[in-house]
Amino acid sequence: MIRIYNTLTQQKEEFRPIQPGKVRMYVCGMTVYDYCHLGHARVLVAFDVITRYLRHRGYAVDYVRNITDIDDKILRRASENGEVFSDLTDRMIQAMHEDEARLGVLSPTQEPRATEYIDEIVAMIHKLIQGGHAYAAENGDVYFSVDSFAGYGKLSKKKLEDLLAGARIDVQEAKRSPADFALWKAAGEGEVSWPSPWGDGRPGWHIECSAMSTCCLGDTFDIHGGGPDLLFPHHENEIAQSECATGHDFAKVWMHAGAIRVNKEKMSKSLGNFFTIREILESYPAEVVRYFLVSSHYRSQVDYSEENLAEAGRTLTKLYHALRGIVPAKAGDVAETEYDRRFMDVMDDDFNTAGAIAVLHAVANDINHHRREGRDREASESATVLVRLGAILGLLQQDPEGFFQADTGGELSAEDIEGMIQARADARKAKDFAEADRIRDDLADKGIILDDSREGTTWRRG
């Protein structure tokens, strides 16, 4: 039995999908005006693991993650760059896909773009107006009337009267109440626009997700997820407009990933502690970054620091060390073990990846024990279990030597290192041990660690 913490009810609940054996999940994706940052990576990896685990448990998962490709930020950035907005979004989408692939994030089942759903957005707005939940203002904008939805605030637990207290309407806006929000924005002279019954314009941000999610998954679906900053107002507004438009409950379970902090401060551009995924991957292997994100529960805050990433690298290295030099047994020859059951127990409890990581290290300890005792078959079978469970978290799928020798932009290439190892071997053969030690120390100074055994010398980046 899988139990999930539901933000809507603020408690863990037994997960019962609407359609047995099938999960329909929508996660708010990127607004593609810039490169993805570490906060995006947090959400991407968290829901990737959730998808992998649900599939491991036998569910057919229809995972929809949208792309917002029309927005004020996009238009401003395109104007600053002197380019067509679609050229900017196409470039950023390609970069996003590259970042996802490096982090081992599987592609969603569907990846709708807002600009592909303009007709559906217009139709939903029209239905809201007809139902008395929205109104067209004199300036060509269309607003959702928040006080027309009695359930407003049920996700964020905010009260409408508190939101209205002291709130003011911008003089440029024509809405009736300060809490009302835009569904359609009238286009200014020369701005990107689409035709509508209320004049040329473009959709507001919130209505995009309501239209895309219901078109892709139906009026009611199982899980809606996203980052912590989306809970209010974005997700609250989605609920209001969707339930008013369809007359049905929107999503059964709401899930929100935890925030990223940098050196114990909230990550933000204004503080200068803002990192893109590709900046981080210039210094750290992608699997180390993924391990760092997975090793904390998806709802917890993650404190990003050089020290914490280095520690993630050290602990992931321990797992790969356990696999090094072992040929895993064929997967079909290794039955479910106690470790498989322990892994599922912790993951069934709101996808507790921190507990799952502890199980991986317990398996690694078993492999090392079997190896020391000379029990090669048991070590091989345990290696299969480790790789099998690691796959559910998107980890440990590399050849160990490939992991240890991955080029992270260091001073020495693999060819350089192999050449120095051969020079050291030649020095040792000539009994020039001082030269051999010098080469080893030189490699160590450059972060290359040598491991000597009866089978020869292997190396890894430290």
Side-chain angles (χ1 to χ4, degrees):
M1 179 184 71
I2 297 176
R3 291 173 60 80
I4 302 177
Y5 182 86
N6 188 350
T7 309
L8 183 65
T9 61
Q10 297 187 335
Q11 63 184 8
K12 291 181 186 178
E13 301 172 349
E14 180 181 351
F15 179 59
R16 295 179 180 273
I18 298 167
Q19 182 179 343
K22 183 174 182 179
V23 177
R24 288 175 289 162
M25 179 169 71
Y26 182 90
V27 175
C28 290
M30 314 310 152
T31 300
V32 284
Y33 71 99
D34 205 344
Y35 292 112
C36 294
H37 56 67
L38 190 60
H40 294 139
R42 171 71 160 152
V43 175
L44 288 169
V45 171
F47 285 97
D48 180 65
V49 170
I50 289 165
T51 300
R52 287 171 182 262
Y53 186 67
L54 289 171
R55 287 173 178 162
H56 174 73
R57 296 288 269 119
Y59 291 102
V61 181
D62 191 354
Y63 174 23
V64 180
R65 191 185 67 226
N66 77 292
I67 294 174
T68 295
D69 60 347
I70 183 64
D71 174 86
D72 287 341
K73 294 177 182 177
I74 291 171
L75 296 179
R76 280 197 298 268
R77 182 60 57 83
S79 177
E80 291 168 2
N81 294 348
E83 63 181 327
V84 178
F85 87 96
S86 57
D87 290 344
L88 169 65
T89 57
D90 286 347
R91 190 171 70 256
M92 290 299 103
I93 290 169
Q94 181 179 344
M96 177 184 70
H97 289 158
E98 292 169 357
D99 291 343
E100 291 170 10
R102 293 183 67 186
L103 289 172
V105 173
L106 303 175
S107 298
T109 316
Q110 303 181 63
E111 195 175 49
R113 300 187 186 190
T115 55
E116 298 170 346
Y117 283 77
I118 299 297
D119 289 346
E120 291 80 0
I121 291 168
V122 169
M124 180 172 275
I125 295 172
H126 183 66
K127 184 178 286 189
L128 288 168
I129 292 174
Q130 286 185 318
H133 299 289
Y135 56 92
E138 293 180 359
N139 63 355
D141 291 347
V142 179
Y143 293 97
F144 181 85
S145 178
V146 169
D147 61 9
S148 74
F149 180 58
Y152 195 81
K154 64 181 177 179
L155 179 67
S156 62
K157 314 308 175 193
K158 295 180 183 292
K159 295 181 179 180
L160 184 56
E161 54 266 30
D162 294 337
L163 295 172
L164 292 174
R168 297 180 179 179
I169 298 176
D170 189 288
V171 293
Q172 294 181 337
E173 295 179 315
K175 56 187 179 181
R176 298 169 182 169
S177 169
D180 295 350
F181 56 89
L183 301 174
W184 188 260
K185 298 182 178 183
E189 184 69 30
E191 287 185 347
V192 176
S193 65
W194 288 264
S196 84
W198 319 286
D200 291 353
R202 61 178 180 79
W205 176 36
H206 311 301
I207 195 68
E208 295 175 357
C209 279
S210 287
M212 287 185 281
S213 61
T214 54
C215 285
C216 292
L217 296 175
D219 291 348
T220 306
F221 49 91
D222 299 293
I223 297 173
H224 194 312
D229 55 326
L230 300 183
L231 195 154
F232 185 87
H234 184 54
H235 288 165
E236 194 72 71
N237 291 350
E238 276 191 73
I239 290 175
Q241 63 201 12
S242 300
E243 296 189 0
C244 287
T246 69
H248 298 102
D249 289 340
F250 186 35
K252 288 184 62 180
V253 177
W254 286 84
M255 301 177 69
H256 293 88
I260 292 284
R261 299 191 305 170
V262 178
N263 295 323
K264 299 184 179 179
E265 290 186 303
K266 182 180 178 181
M267 186 179 73
S268 71
K269 289 184 177 179
S270 61
L271 292 174
N273 59 1
F274 183 87
F275 301 98
T276 66
I277 294 172
R278 48 191 54 205
E279 284 173 338
I280 295 169
L281 295 184
E282 289 177 1
S283 303
Y284 294 92
E287 190 170 357
V288 169
V289 177
R290 184 180 177 101
Y291 181 92
F292 164 72
L293 296 171
V294 169
S295 57
S296 298
H297 191 279
Y298 78 89
R299 284 193 289 116
S300 65
Q301 286 191 335
V302 173
D303 191 30
Y304 172 84
S305 68
E306 296 290 326
E307 180 182 343
N308 289 346
L309 259 179
E311 177 59 25
R314 287 190 290 270
T315 52
L316 179 60
T317 295
K318 291 178 181 178
L319 296 177
Y320 269 110
H321 260 304
L323 294 171
R324 199 173 198 181
I326 293 180
V327 178
K330 291 183 179 179
D333 294 341
V334 182
E336 183 181 274
T337 68
E338 179 61 28
Y339 289 119
D340 289 273
R341 291 183 284 275
R342 283 170 54 184
F343 185 94
M344 286 194 289
D345 283 345
V346 293
M347 287 294 285
D348 280 352
D349 183 14
D350 196 29
F351 309 101
N352 182 3
T353 53
I357 289 287
V359 175
L360 297 188
H361 283 282
V363 179
N365 289 340
D366 265 9
I367 295 172
N368 293 331
H369 178 69
H370 292 319
R371 196 197 317 253
R372 287 192 299 269
E373 297 295 319
R375 294 194 291 265
D376 293 343
R377 181 177 62 82
E378 289 85 348
S380 178
E381 291 175 350
S382 292
T384 297
V385 175
L386 183 55
V387 172
R388 178 167 68 205
L389 298 179
I392 300 169
L393 302 180
L395 300 171
L396 304 176
Q397 302 307 292
Q398 295 187 64
D399 174 77
E401 296 307 317
F403 170 79
F404 287 123
Q405 298 176 9
D407 188 355
T408 56
E411 185 177 341
L412 298 176
S413 68
E415 291 76 13
D416 294 334
I417 296 165
E418 293 289 354
M420 293 176 72
I421 290 174
Q422 183 59 53
R424 175 174 176 262
D426 293 341
R428 293 174 76 183
K429 187 175 181 180
K431 300 190 183 303
D432 188 351
F433 298 113
E435 175 63 9
D437 289 345
R438 186 197 65 76
I439 293 173
R440 184 186 188 107
D441 292 343
D442 189 21
L443 286 167
D445 288 343
K446 293 178 171 62
I448 308 302
I449 300 168
L450 303 185
D451 296 308
D452 293 318
S453 67
R454 286 176 296 180
E455 288 75 29
T457 301
T458 58
W459 63 272
R460 57 189 170 89
R461 298 184 190 270

